[in-house]
Amino acid sequence: MVGQLLREVQRIKSEGDYNSGEALIENYGVKVDQKLHVKVLDRNKKFPFAPYSGFVNPVVVPNLDSKGKIISINIKQPKTFAEQMLEYSKDFSFLPLEN
């Protein structure tokens, strides 16, 4: 079933089949079982994180002794996806601004 659905999505994208794409969204992406929706919302109340936080990666920060040996690890969670991306751009941007 999933393979067929993925094939259909790829076909729609490849061919630019707007009508089939619209039908796919209207049939599967818009209609929600309200009882199931309430269950999901109730379960989700237990988690204090923003819905997008699954895309925000924790930062592992080692605590070192005087010899540089790791004695413990702290985990820092960026507050937002934007904060994470700005840190990544600062720490991992190795390309020069001008070539």
Side-chain angles (χ1 to χ4, degrees), residues 19-90:
N19 293 332
S20 292
E22 182 178 41
L24 191 67
I25 295 299
E26 288 300 324
N27 289 327
Y28 297 101
V30 178
K31 299 174 187 164
V32 176
D33 177 340
Q34 292 303 307
K35 288 180 184 178
L36 180 60
H37 184 65
V38 169
K39 273 184 171 180
V40 169
L41 292 176
D42 286 343
R43 277 194 230 156
N44 196 46
K45 287 179 186 175
K46 297 175 187 175
F47 301 103
F49 307 108
Y52 59 81
S53 67
F55 299 104
V56 179
N57 300 315
V59 178
V60 177
V61 182
N63 292 321
L64 308 174
D65 65 13
S66 59
K67 295 179 182 176
K69 184 177 177 183
I70 297 174
I71 53 175
S72 65
I73 298 287
N74 288 331
I75 305 235
K76 178 185 149 207
Q77 185 71 29
K79 290 186 175 90
T80 65
F81 184 72
E83 179 185 329
Q84 175 182 284
M85 291 296 105
L86 289 170
E87 282 294 317
Y88 283 173
S89 69
K90 182 181 78 170

Side-chain angles (χ1 to χ4, degrees), residues 86-99:
L86 289 170
E87 282 294 317
Y88 283 173
S89 69
K90 182 181 78 170
D91 295 339
F92 303 111
S93 177
F94 304 120
L95 296 175
L97 295 175
E98 293 182 26
N99 289 328

